[in-house]
């Protein structure tokens, strides 16, 4: 006899008590919050009417078809992402690896050739062929090539020039510009640390002062802002923390206040995460916020925290899965921000990445799965630092470890062992 499915949290009678209370003070944001809650309540009620046994399903086949098509053809709506084309490669390829759908060799080779055309003659990758190198598409391109993981893919990356590019955007205070002459924020530190560690060109000199600069982005709320002095934000908190994990300095954060900030961003009624205090739930923060919990779990464990669970992260994993499966899936494939919004590849990637985090606790040795709905909902695990599958991280590190960089800056020592190693980073 089959086991009865796990009762849904949102079917519980007490669930309505989790709704937002405005304390009699109506504001633009309180009205928006109530509107979102009622649209989610409607989704839940519709689901209840059709399904007596709650088994929310991941519509895998529809997601697969949507993603497969996106690798070859994009609608006019994507014109605005003409300077973010390596991102589309990463979002789609990572979504496919989470769904455990293989990439046909001919498609993989075409992606390699396209990304090679995005590589700048001065190093790093641009948002499209002929554009200027920029750290964000550089991160996306390196991740996409590591997901493909073939010799052809690895050989696209000119590591020597990549190192030159990273030096060209490094600032004396430890921060990085997103591109030459561009803005500085904590995303760039993460993108730089991520590509440098994956390709084995990370040197202490290149990241001199970076730790202190990132630490200065943690504010009184507990989370991190884009630059020192601004509001704490999910995307920047993830980038800053993941960069510190790569640099082996995450213990220097105020871990407890970051933990309190991030768990408070999981919405009581919706189950998903908001990006900032007093903002609305959004599916993409399923990764940017929930992805912080594996990083924090490991950091707290290393600090000797003895009360940590060996089965669960420190957030409501089931509630997040309910939000993603019930509220963020387009029935025709692709995932989205919240009910009423349209699907896109960015939200598809980060909703699936967050779903994977919520399903898998631990690392290769210690692993516990919490899968809502049928076993077919199970995604592949993702590496919480790089957000590609852990075995792809391990393979890339093995490959690039064998190679060397011929020229380094004065004072550089040989590339150091990336501390966020091959899938052993979680707890
Ligand atoms: Zn979003």
């Amino acid at each position: 006899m089959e086991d009865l499915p796990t009762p849904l949290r949102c079917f519980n009678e007490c669930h309505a008590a989790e709704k937002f209370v405005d304390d009699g003070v109506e504001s633009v944001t309180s009205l928006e919050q109530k509107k979102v809650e009622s649209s989610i309540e409607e989704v839940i009620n519709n689901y209840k009417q059709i399904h007596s046994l709650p088994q929310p399903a991941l519509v895998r086949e529809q997601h697969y078809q949507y993603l497969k098509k996106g690798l070859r053809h994009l609608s006019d709506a994507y014109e605005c992402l003409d300077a973010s084309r390596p991102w589309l490669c990463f979002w789609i390829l990572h979504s496919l690896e989470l769904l455990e759908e293989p990439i046909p060799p001919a498609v993989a080779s075409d992606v390699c050739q396209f990304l090679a055309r995005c590589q700048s003659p001065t190093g790093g990758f641009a948002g499209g062929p002929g554009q200027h190198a920029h750290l964000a598409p550089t991160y996306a391109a390196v991740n996409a090539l590591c997901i493909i993981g073939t010799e052809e893919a690895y050989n696209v990356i000119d590591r020597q020039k990549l190192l030159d590019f990273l030096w060209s955007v490094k600032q004396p205070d430890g921060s990085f510009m997103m591109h030459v002459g561009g803005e500085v924020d904590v995303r760039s530190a993460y993108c730089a640390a991520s590509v440098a560690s994956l390709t084995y060109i990370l040197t202490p000199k290149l990241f001199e002062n970076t730790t202190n600069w990132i630490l200065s982005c943690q504010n009184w709320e507990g989370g991190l802002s884009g630059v020192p002095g601004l509001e704490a934000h999910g995307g920047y908190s993830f980038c800053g923390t993941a960069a510190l994990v790569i640099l082996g300095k995450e213990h220097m954060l105020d871990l407890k206040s970051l933990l309190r900030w991030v768990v408070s961003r999981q919405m009581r009624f919706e189950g998903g995460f908001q990006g900032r205090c007093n903002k609305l739930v959004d599916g993409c923060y399923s990764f940017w916020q929930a992805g912080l919990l594996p990083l924090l779990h490991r950091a707290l464990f290393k600090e000797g925290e003895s009360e940590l669970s060996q089965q669960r992260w420190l957030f409501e994993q089931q509630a997040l899965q309910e939000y993603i499966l019930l509220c963020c899936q387009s029935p025709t494939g692709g995932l989205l921000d919240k009910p009423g919004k349209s699907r896109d590849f960015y939200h598809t990637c980060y909703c699936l990445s967050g779903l994977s985090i919520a399903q898998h606790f631990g690392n290769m040795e210690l692993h516990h799965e919490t899968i809502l709905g049928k076993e077919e909902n199970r995604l592949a695990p993702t590496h919480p630092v790089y957000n590609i599958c852990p075995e792809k991280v391990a393979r890339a590190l093995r490959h690039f470890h064998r190679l060397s960089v011929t020229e380094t800056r004065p004072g550089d020592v040989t590339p150091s062992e990336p501390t966020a190693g091959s899938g052993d980073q979680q707890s």
Side-chain angles (χ1 to χ4, degrees), residues 282 284 337 346-347:
D282 179 344
C284 63
D337 163 348
Y346 165 80
H347 284 93

Side-chain angles (χ1 to χ4, degrees), residues 211-341:
T211 297
N212 285 337
W213 189 82
I214 297 172
L215 291 173
S216 69
C217 293
Q218 185 171 31
N219 74 7
W220 59 271
E221 295 174 88
L224 281 74
S225 52
V227 290
L230 297 186
E231 187 184 10
H233 178 287
Y236 295 124
S237 295
F238 175 83
C239 288
T241 307
L244 289 174
V245 169
I246 293 171
L247 301 174
K249 301 288 187 210
E250 70 277 23
H251 59 278
M252 292 176 77
L253 285 164
D254 183 339
L255 295 170
K256 294 267 171 81
S257 72
L258 176 58
L259 176 66
R260 191 182 62 171
W261 178 81
V262 65
V263 295
S264 305
R265 303 282 73 75
Q266 187 168 23
M267 308 299 275
R268 305 178 67 91
F269 183 77
E270 302 90 312
F273 282 80
Q274 61 184 181
R276 287 178 268 166
C277 190
N278 203 37
K279 294 273 285 181
L280 303 172
V281 69
D282 179 344
C284 63
Y285 291 108
S286 305
F287 179 77
W288 300 121
Q289 301 284 29
L292 274 165
L293 276 306
L295 305 180
L296 280 167
H297 210 95
R298 175 182 175 265
L300 291 165
F301 180 80
K302 275 169 65 184
E303 290 296 283
E305 213 32 79
S306 55
E307 304 288 299
L308 289 166
S309 166
Q310 298 205 4
Q311 294 207 322
R312 303 190 60 83
W313 304 127
L314 292 162
F315 74 100
E316 266 291 343
Q317 290 163 245
Q318 188 185 325
L320 179 61
Q321 294 184 48
E322 288 181 20
Y323 177 67
I324 297 170
L325 293 172
L326 295 177
C327 302
C328 298
Q329 293 192 91
S330 161
T332 53
L335 292 99
L336 35 108
D337 163 348
K338 59 174 73 58
K341 299 274 183 171

